[in-house]
Amino acid sequence: MARTVGSNGPKTMEAIRKAGLRLIYTQGYEAMSLRRLAAEVGIQAGSLYNHITTKQDLLFDLIKVHMDELLERLDQALDGIADPEDRLQAFIAFHVGYHIARKREVFICYSELRSLESKNYDIVVGLRQQYERKLIGILDDGVASGRFTVADTTVAAYGILAMLTGVCTWFKPAGRLSKEEVTGIYTGMVRHGLVRTVDAPAVAEAT
């Protein structure tokens, strides 16, 4: 394959990331070879080492960049929103939209977590816990203000995240439902399970 990316370091690294993401998604981390990666990018295999040291470095880079961006974008989505219900709605909309748009990154982040070396694994797990704590904090605030009713906010957060993230496995942009419609359905289900309803006034007994 002819060289296609030139000698520009940042452009070459970006091409390596894109090709690595595609190959790991389709073949799996263990099956992907650096020789194949170099061929996909259009450089000599030895030239890869000017940008990455090992295949493990590439996997860690892909997952960490994904997690860093996920946390940064979430903070932007929640910025300026104080009400717990509004924050919950913003969280759901962000999570669904982000995960639909980055299906490959999300898949690799979950399926190849086991392939990370111990030090890299601990870093990524720490980032995932930061993200989880964002939702736990929203639920805690809702409970404290009397807006949400939930026995254990940590367990509830894990359940919500598992449900929302599952959208990656079945959603199709050209499918029956739009991203906005799916987000609305998920928001309704979560709110139905969490938001405290106002008790109806008691009916006076007949005398």
Side-chain angles (χ1 to χ4, degrees):
M1 181 176 177
R3 184 180 179 91
T4 59
V5 295
S7 59
N8 185 286
K11 287 185 179 179
T12 302
M13 188 61 217
E14 184 58 26
I16 291 170
R17 286 194 181 103
K18 288 182 178 179
L21 181 70
R22 182 171 60 254
L23 290 173
I24 295 173
Y25 179 74
T26 57
Q27 299 181 2
Y29 172 74
E30 292 298 333
M32 186 197 76
S33 70
L34 291 182
R35 184 175 298 276
R36 174 65 186 277
L37 175 62
E40 287 285 321
V41 176
I43 60 178
Q44 296 295 319
S47 298
L48 278 175
Y49 298 105
N50 294 324
H51 305 279
I52 60 173
T53 305
T54 64
K55 188 167 72 167
Q56 174 71 199
D57 287 344
L58 175 62
L59 178 64
F60 176 61
D61 176 76
L62 289 173
I63 295 178
K64 187 175 185 301
V65 166
H66 164 70
M67 290 303 305
D68 287 342
E69 184 176 1
L70 181 70
L71 286 162
E72 180 181 356
R73 295 290 184 87
L74 176 61
D75 285 341
Q76 292 171 357
L78 297 177
D79 185 44
I81 305 175
D83 181 79
E85 290 189 49
D86 292 340
R87 285 176 67 81
L88 177 62
Q89 183 168 334
F91 182 97
I92 294 170
F94 165 78
H95 189 94
V96 171
Y98 188 95
H99 283 62
I100 285 175
R102 292 166 176 80
K103 183 176 180 178
R104 291 177 175 178
E105 291 90 338
V106 173
F107 177 83
I108 290 172
C109 189
Y110 280 88
S111 67
E112 297 295 353
L113 187 64
R114 65 185 186 279
S115 300
L116 291 172
E117 295 174 354
S118 178
K119 181 180 69 173
N120 294 337
Y121 177 90
D122 290 342
I123 292 172
V124 171
V125 168
L127 293 172
R128 289 179 63 171
Q129 289 172 342
Q130 286 184 42
Y131 189 79
E132 291 162 356
R133 285 196 292 269
K134 299 282 187 179
L135 178 56
I136 294 170
I138 292 172
L139 300 183
D140 284 340
D141 290 343
V143 171
S145 64
R147 307 286 287 280
F148 300 161
T149 174
V150 57
D152 189 306
T153 55
T154 299
V155 172
Y158 291 161
I160 293 169
L161 288 170
M163 179 179 70
L164 298 181
T165 303
V167 72
C168 293
T169 65
W170 61 265
F171 180 82
K172 292 180 175 58
R176 181 170 58 87
L177 297 174
S178 68
K179 179 184 70 175
E180 291 73 21
E181 289 172 319
V182 170
T183 299
I185 291 170
Y186 274 138
T187 300
M189 289 191 294
V190 174
R191 284 175 55 86
H192 179 74
L194 294 179
V195 176
R196 184 187 298 275
T197 57
V198 178
D199 295 332
V203 178
E205 295 181 1
T207 56

